[in-house]
Amino acid sequence: MIPYIRREKILEIIGQREIVYLPQLLEIFTDASESTLRRDLKILSTTGHITLLHGGAVKLKVGSTVDLPIQDKLTLNKTEKDAIARTAASFVSEGDVIYLDSSTTVLPMVHYLKGKKITIITSSARLLSLLDDENITCIVLGGEVVIQTGSIVGSITENLLSTMFFDKAFVGANGFSQLGGINTPDYREARKKQIVKQNSKAMYLLMDSSKAEVTTFCKVFELQECTIITDSDHELLGNFLHSIIVAKSDHEC
């Protein structure tokens, strides 16, 4: 398993159980050695995600959003994310006012929107640096910037969003499951997505299949409440095929 993915899974497990012991992680990650897991835990502790306790136990650090740094997430499933972003961009029409969040699956959409005369509203502090098309008008929302993810959050952001209306909105999430629906570990992100959904004519959720069966802290909305663009059919989505779009990679097109 790729180290970044393993660390993300470790955070999800700790988030569900509150306190986890190293032997428990060894039982779950059978392909990882004790030294490898200790190294993962040290990295997660250094980045401020967890607190190491005596006796080999770990717990989430108070205030942790259980989210990996954006630099790490950008390297995960790049091919799948690019295919999803390209497919999502095909639904944007001339003159649209669209919302793009800070998801690493949403950000690549910018490259496929070139040449379209549209307006982008975003809560991503990184998105503006990706734009180089004078046809696109970009409005970056104010608020608190989460350095780790590049996301802009808080009451200022929410108040601004509540006054705006979008033709289409494109957002990401940390997981989807029968129990947790579309979910995220950060209640501030959940609130933003809920406001955007309420103020959008069409809502698209962009997630690769690695997010399947993942349940984090906050349910944003139910699976059937938006159109999901993903890279493969998952059995969990079987009852919602009317709102599922499967993106194809370059070699499949």
Side-chain angles (χ1 to χ4, degrees):
M1 182 181 293
I2 298 173
Y4 294 136
I5 296 178
R6 186 175 58 247
R7 289 170 202 150
E8 192 169 45
K9 294 293 185 183
I10 289 173
L11 286 173
E12 291 166 6
I13 292 167
I14 299 172
Q16 293 167 358
R17 304 186 186 186
E18 188 174 354
I19 294 179
V20 175
Y21 291 86
L22 182 59
Q24 293 175 311
L25 294 176
L26 284 168
E27 291 179 1
I28 296 170
F29 298 97
T30 55
D31 60 338
S33 66
E34 181 175 342
S35 61
T36 295
L37 290 175
R38 286 187 182 278
R39 184 164 56 251
D40 285 340
L41 295 177
K42 185 175 181 180
I43 290 172
L44 292 173
S45 175
T46 301
T47 55
H49 288 86
I50 64 173
T51 298
L52 300 178
L53 305 175
H54 293 296
V58 294
K59 69 175 182 178
L60 286 181
K61 186 174 181 180
V62 175
S64 172
T65 60
V66 200
D67 216 346
L68 289 178
I70 192 169
Q71 292 87 349
D72 292 352
K73 296 177 75 173
L74 284 169
T75 66
L76 298 176
N77 306 317
K78 289 184 67 174
T79 301
E80 292 83 356
K81 288 179 178 179
D82 189 71
I84 292 169
R86 184 177 63 249
T87 299
S90 70
F91 290 96
V92 178
S93 304
E94 289 285 328
D96 275 351
V97 175
I98 66 172
Y99 172 80
L100 303 181
D101 77 357
S102 60
S103 162
T104 54
T105 310
V106 172
L107 287 179
M109 282 183 64
V110 173
H111 303 302
Y112 298 104
L113 293 172
K114 290 182 179 180
K116 294 185 178 182
K117 194 170 183 61
I118 59 174
T119 298
I120 295 175
I121 314 297
T122 184
S123 58
S124 168
R126 295 176 62 93
L127 186 143
L128 189 59
S129 66
L130 302 176
L131 282 175
D132 60 356
D133 190 335
E134 61 183 16
N135 289 307
I136 297 177
T137 299
C138 183
I139 299 174
V140 181
L141 297 170
E144 176 189 351
V145 178
V146 181
I147 301 300
Q148 183 182 24
T149 62
S151 182
I152 303 171
V153 300
S155 58
I156 294 175
T157 315
E158 293 170 13
N159 289 338
L160 288 169
L161 281 172
S162 66
T163 66
M164 298 176 174
F165 297 88
F166 314 103
D167 294 303
K168 301 172 181 99
F170 301 86
V171 303
N174 290 70
F176 65 92
S177 65
Q178 193 68 47
L179 174 65
I182 306 302
N183 59 84
T184 173
D186 191 329
Y187 70 91
R188 299 169 300 180
E189 293 293 341
R191 181 59 185 150
K192 278 197 308 182
K193 296 180 202 303
Q194 289 163 351
I195 295 172
V196 168
K197 179 179 177 296
Q198 184 176 353
N199 290 1
S200 300
K201 295 178 183 177
M203 184 79 165
Y204 296 87
L205 181 78
L206 282 55
M207 286 196 306
D208 66 77
S209 54
S210 70
K211 306 294 179 64
E213 303 291 359
V214 173
T215 301
T216 56
F217 181 54
C218 298
K219 176 185 282 190
V220 183
F221 36 72
E222 300 294 347
L223 291 171
Q224 66 270 29
E225 292 187 67
C226 62
T227 297
I228 299 174
I229 304 178
T230 186
D231 59 303
S232 66
D233 285 326
H234 188 277
E235 59 183 359
L236 180 62
L237 303 174
N239 295 327
F240 311 105
L241 288 179
H242 63 285
S243 59
I244 304 299
I245 298 169
V246 178
K248 294 183 178 181
S249 60
D250 283 333
H251 69 271
E252 294 177 308
C253 294

